[in-house]
């Protein structure tokens, strides 16, 4: 499938928590070739370098006019790349969307505010012959799925990548692990549960935070069963949302229930003192989150992954050593150290995976990467 070119709007939020959709698309997308980011606070920088990573050749522009003046062709799509708590966009943002339509750009929207139900947007889209796609808009109730128990037929490991907070790197870790498993010969399927994963091109999944609560568990189950039946995978990875302990959101509970996960990889930002967007709510410790997950579900946490936001490389290494000593769980930062510890943990917990691992000439045997020599061994389905 040919990718569409896209400009991503993320004004004054790129690289911050509310800009996670734009960041995810810069790092990976099967659907879109990102040709620029709109963020006046970082204008002139490369998007990769703005994240503290390698240059990716995606420029950051100050405005839509600036972008269209510098790009050789008008992008095919305009993506609203922020994920704010606010329930509606500003007038300035409306104006930019209308201007993008006038330039012939399709509108890709990840908000709970559905642009396809906005009379002005609908009228302008028809006038300029462009499309509006609301990623979070759920199917009709008649097309939704309740829990059936069919997940009991799934005989491959199902692993949920959960976190201790919102916007802490769960999806990035899940995708990096998915890619690493595929590169080493395992057939992995990624289940998206939010708007960014769907924009990146996940074949299975749904934005669960836009569903009536009655259907959240069933839709998670349905996506996993569908992937199992259609893909014949070796392993299924389920993207987490928010955190089980987070008082504002229920998403992770639905993921735990609907996936009946065999294991959990837990993502944590050690430098974060308070919940994202909730400065009066203190972060939980990793040990507290593990205890909560393992108390309310049959799943066991098999590895810890870190977000290195606001941390030096040396600090990350110290935290990894501390967590591995105190929690007796393999710990890594996948953006800095790769996924070999995670692959090792999966192989040790699910021995049926090991014979299918293809030697990776760029890395040691994954089982040799575990400095602890052991991880909690779980039963697969």
């Amino acid at each position: 499938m040919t990718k569409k070119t896209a400009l991503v709007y993320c004004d004054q939020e790129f690289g911050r928590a509310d800009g996670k959709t734009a960041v995810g698309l810069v790092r990976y997308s099967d659907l879109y070739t990102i040709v620029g980011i709109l963020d006046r606070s970082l204008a002139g920088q490369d998007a990769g370098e703005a994240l503290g990573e390698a240059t990716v050749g995606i420029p950051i522009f100050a405005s839509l006019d600036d972008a269209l003046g510098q790009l050789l062709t008008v992008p095919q799509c305009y993506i609203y790349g922020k994920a704010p708590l606010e329930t509606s966009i500003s007038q300035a943002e409306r104006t930019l969307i209308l201007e993008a339509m006038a330039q012939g750009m399709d509108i890709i929207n990840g908000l709970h505010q559905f642009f396809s139900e906005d009379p002005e947007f609908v009228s302008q889209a028809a006038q300029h012959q462009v499309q509006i796609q609301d990623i979070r808009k759920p199917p009709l109730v008649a097309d939704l799925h309740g829990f059936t128990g069919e997940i009991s037929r799934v005989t491959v490991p199902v692993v949920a990548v959960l976190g201790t907070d919102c916007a802490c790197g769960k999806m990035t870790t899940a995708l990096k692990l998915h890619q690493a498993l595929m590169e080493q010969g395992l057939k992995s399927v990624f289940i998206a549960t939010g708007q960014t994963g769907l924009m990146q091109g996940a074949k299975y999944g749904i934005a669960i935070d836009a569903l009536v609560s009655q259907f959240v568990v069933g839709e998670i189950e349905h996506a996993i069963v569908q992937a199992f039946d259609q893909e014949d995978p070796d392993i299924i990875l389920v993207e987490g949302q928010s955190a089980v302990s987070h008082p504002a959101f229920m998403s992770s509970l639905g993921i735990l229930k609907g996936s009946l996960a065999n294991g959990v990889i837990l993502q944590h930002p050690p430098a974060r003192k308070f919940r994202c967007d909730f400065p009066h709510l203190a972060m939980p410790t990793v040990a507290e989150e593990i205890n909560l997950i393992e108390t309310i579900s049959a799943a066991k946490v098999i590895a810890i992954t870190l977000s290195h936001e606001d941390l030096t490389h040396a600090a990350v290494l110290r935290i990894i050593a501390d967590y591995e000593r105190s929690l007796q769980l393999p710990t890594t930062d996948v953006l800095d150290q790769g996924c070999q510890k995670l692959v090792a943990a999966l192989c040790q917990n699910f021995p049926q995976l090991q014979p299918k691992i293809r030697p990776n000439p760029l890395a040691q045997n994954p089982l040799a990467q575990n400095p602890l020599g052991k991880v909690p061994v779980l039963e697969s389905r």
Side-chain angles (χ1 to χ4, degrees), residues 45-356:
Q45 298 187 42
D46 175 89
E49 291 180 333
L51 297 174
E53 301 170 9
T55 301
V56 293
I58 300 174
I60 301 179
F61 300 106
S63 66
L64 178 60
D65 287 341
D66 182 28
L68 296 179
Q70 294 189 51
L71 294 170
L72 296 179
T73 58
V74 175
Q76 294 168 287
C77 301
Y78 177 97
I79 299 176
Y80 190 96
K82 295 200 288 187
L85 283 179
E86 290 82 4
T87 57
S88 61
I89 61 173
S90 68
Q91 184 56 51
E93 290 174 331
R94 288 186 67 88
T95 299
L96 279 178
I97 291 167
L98 293 170
E99 290 176 2
M101 288 184 183
Q103 292 290 333
M105 301 168 69
D106 291 337
I107 306 300
I108 313 299
N109 170 38
L111 298 176
H112 288 293
Q113 178 184 2
F114 301 143
F115 295 170
S116 62
E117 296 179 358
D118 183 298
E120 184 180 22
F121 285 161
V122 171
S123 172
Q124 291 299 301
Q127 179 179 334
H128 299 293
Q129 297 184 315
V130 299
Q131 303 296 313
I132 298 174
Q133 185 177 6
D134 289 316
I135 303 298
R136 266 185 167 131
K137 194 169 187 177
L140 296 174
V141 171
D143 296 323
L144 290 170
H145 302 85
F147 186 80
T148 65
E150 281 291 292
I151 198 166
S152 62
R153 296 194 293 102
V154 176
T155 56
V156 301
V158 175
V159 176
V161 182
L162 304 183
T164 56
D165 196 15
C166 303
C168 65
K170 297 180 289 288
M171 185 190 63
T172 295
T173 288
L175 280 175
K176 288 288 186 182
L177 178 56
H178 167 69
Q179 292 163 358
L181 291 169
M182 296 287 281
E183 288 169 1
Q184 293 192 235
L186 290 171
K187 186 166 187 182
S188 169
V189 175
F190 171 71
I191 306 294
T193 57
Q195 73 278 10
T196 306
L198 295 171
M199 287 184 191
Q200 290 173 314
K203 185 176 178 181
Y204 299 96
I206 193 169
I208 61 174
D209 63 359
L211 296 174
V212 174
S213 61
Q214 175 69 23
F215 298 104
V216 171
V217 173
E219 283 297 324
I220 295 291
E221 179 197 41
H222 174 71
I224 292 170
V225 172
Q226 190 180 37
F228 176 70
D229 287 340
Q230 296 183 12
E231 304 295 336
D232 189 27
D234 296 311
I235 186 171
I236 296 173
L237 302 178
V238 184
E239 174 195 11
Q241 295 293 325
S242 181
V244 172
S245 63
H246 203 303
F249 309 106
M250 298 293 291
S251 305
S252 281
L253 291 173
I255 290 167
L256 272 178
K257 288 175 175 289
S259 69
L260 290 182
N262 300 115
V264 168
I265 293 169
L266 185 63
Q267 178 86 13
H268 179 62
R272 195 178 293 184
K273 304 302 181 185
F274 299 95
R275 302 275 192 182
C276 170
D277 290 327
F278 294 92
H280 302 296
L281 298 179
M283 283 286 294
T285 66
V286 174
E288 289 169 341
E289 195 75 24
I290 291 172
N291 181 63
L292 183 57
I293 290 168
E294 294 184 349
T295 298
I296 66 173
S297 75
K300 297 294 181 183
V301 176
I302 65 172
I304 306 298
T305 51
L306 304 180
S307 164
H308 56 235
E309 66 176 44
D310 299 325
L311 292 171
T312 65
H313 179 68
V316 170
L317 295 181
R318 287 195 299 270
I319 292 167
I320 287 173
D322 177 57
Y323 284 4
E324 291 188 332
R325 181 177 59 254
S326 62
L327 300 171
Q328 290 293 292
L329 289 170
T331 304
T332 192
D333 172 356
V334 301
L335 287 177
D336 182 55
Q337 300 186 349
C339 294
Q340 289 306 303
K341 285 184 182 179
L342 302 185
V343 175
L346 291 172
C347 287
Q348 290 195 8
N349 281 280
F350 310 109
Q352 68 269 37
L353 299 178
Q354 177 59 28
K356 299 180 180 181

